[in-house]
Amino acid sequence: MIFRRTIVWLAFAFLIPAGSAAWAHTPLMLCMDNGDNSITCQGGFSDGSSAGGVIMRIKSSDGRVLQEGQMDNNSEFTFMKPRGDFLVVFDAGPEHQLRVPGRQIGQ
């Protein structure tokens, strides 16, 4: 009985931290149309860390980079709304990228 409890405890001791680490740094982003032909995106991570310095790209429907910049110290990025279809890309590195189609950004 003690042996079984030890195995169960060890399984939880190794699985819980591994599972929580996978979710600890998930990128988050919300983009809003400001109503003045500009869009502001706010970003961050699920563990509460800042997105300041994260690379932001605005791409055309054919993949061309229209605008590029970085999130500021407040984890915000404001850009002029391009004509036609576009995609907002939050690029914090491999497996930490988000893509938001322009048509999904509302006022």
Side-chain angles (χ1 to χ4, degrees):
M1 185 71 144
I2 292 174
F3 180 71
R4 182 178 290 168
R5 284 186 194 159
T6 302
I7 290 175
V8 170
W9 183 85
L10 287 173
F12 277 95
F14 289 103
L15 292 177
I16 289 175
S20 64
W23 294 101
H25 202 68
T26 303
L28 306 168
M29 181 176 65
L30 173 66
C31 295
M32 298 156 289
D33 188 321
N34 296 319
D36 62 356
N37 206 33
S38 71
I39 293 175
T40 298
C41 297
Q42 297 175 327
F45 295 92
S46 59
D47 65 358
S49 57
S50 169
V54 168
I55 294 174
M56 298 291 293
R57 290 186 189 91
I58 312 308
K59 293 186 170 186
S60 65
S61 58
D62 64 0
R64 289 179 297 119
V65 175
L66 303 173
Q67 299 177 51
E68 185 172 282
Q70 294 181 332
M71 289 265 177
D72 65 18
N73 291 335
N74 295 320
S75 297
E76 293 184 344
F77 178 72
T78 300
F79 61 96
M80 297 309 292
K81 188 175 180 178
R83 293 180 192 214
D85 291 336
F86 64 95
L87 181 69
V88 179
V89 180
F90 174 101
D91 187 356
E95 298 186 28
H96 289 89
Q97 296 180 355
L98 296 173
R99 301 174 191 291
V100 177
R103 67 182 175 279
Q104 291 182 359
I105 301 170
Q107 288 184 320

